[in-house]
Amino acid sequence: MSEFKKLYGSCDCGDVQYFINDYPLFTQACHCKNCKKSTGSSFVIHTMIFEDNLKVMGNISSAELSTGSGKGYRAYFCVNCGVYIYCKYNIAKGRVAIRTKTLHEPINPQAHIFIKDKDPWIEISNKDICYDSMYDREETWPKDSLIRLKNKNL
């Protein structure tokens, strides 16, 4: 693996800045009904990282939101402009999901999930990374990410 360069991101107004100091674990686009509702869009793109690899500067607040599994998550956003920066899913101990498009250099999704709920006008060219619902992490995530996850005992 090459030397990692920090990834930087921010909200729209710039009051919240952040950086990620290690390689992300995985990036996915979710087309589920809950994500569409919470974003007001056709899908959301999340980049999963370890929580201790995220450093946030600025004033953020949060709200508890629902998920299709019923487990829920907490979304963190800029108190000034309201842009959601990251989420903590209650089932993902020690990990957070960055709203990928808040990165200064966004990452392409490695998977599209819940495409059974995908809006009909959205076309995904690479069908190999599409899943009707959730994927099997052990079969889908890069081996390096799985090893890092195992080493963290999460």
Side-chain angles (χ1 to χ4, degrees):
M1 211 181 279
S2 61
E3 184 180 344
F4 181 76
K5 292 185 169 92
K6 288 181 183 175
L7 300 174
Y8 293 89
S10 63
C11 63
D12 190 50
C13 72
D15 283 356
V16 174
Q17 304 281 323
Y18 70 89
F19 66 85
I20 300 167
N21 62 16
D22 200 359
Y23 290 98
L25 295 164
F26 197 73
T27 298
Q28 65 192 28
C30 183
H31 299 263
C32 80
K33 294 173 184 174
N34 292 87
C35 283
K36 292 189 327 187
K37 184 84 160 180
S38 72
T39 62
S41 187
S42 291
F43 57 92
V44 66
I45 305 174
H46 279 152
T47 297
M48 269 60 84
I49 64 169
F50 290 120
E51 188 172 4
D52 58 2
N53 290 334
L54 176 65
K55 174 66 175 158
V56 178
M57 292 80 56
N59 197 6
I60 59 173
S61 189
S62 67
E64 188 74 22
L65 300 172
S66 62
T67 59
S69 70
K71 307 272 193 227
Y73 71 101
R74 184 158 288 281
Y76 294 81
F77 55 90
C78 172
V79 297
N80 186 47
C81 68
V83 168
Y84 281 45
I85 302 294
Y86 68 98
C87 306
K88 285 186 188 181
Y89 284 83
N90 296 332
I91 61 170
K93 183 181 175 195
R95 291 174 279 149
V96 295
I98 299 293
R99 293 279 169 103
T100 305
K101 287 300 192 172
T102 65
L103 286 164
H104 295 163
E105 296 179 27
I107 301 167
N108 290 333
Q110 295 161 280
H112 285 263
I113 60 174
F114 291 96
I115 62 160
K116 65 183 173 83
D117 298 326
K118 178 181 71 62
D119 289 329
W121 61 86
I122 302 288
E123 283 296 322
I124 302 168
S125 58
N126 185 355
K127 306 292 186 217
D128 294 338
I129 63 171
C130 293
Y131 302 85
D132 281 339
S133 57
M134 191 58 166
Y135 51 75
D136 179 339
R137 181 174 63 202
E138 298 296 320
E139 294 178 9
T140 308
W141 280 27
K143 293 204 183 314
D144 179 64
S145 293
L146 294 171
I147 291 167
R148 291 169 52 217
L149 186 64
K150 182 178 179 184
N151 289 342
K152 284 265 193 179
N153 293 317
L154 299 175

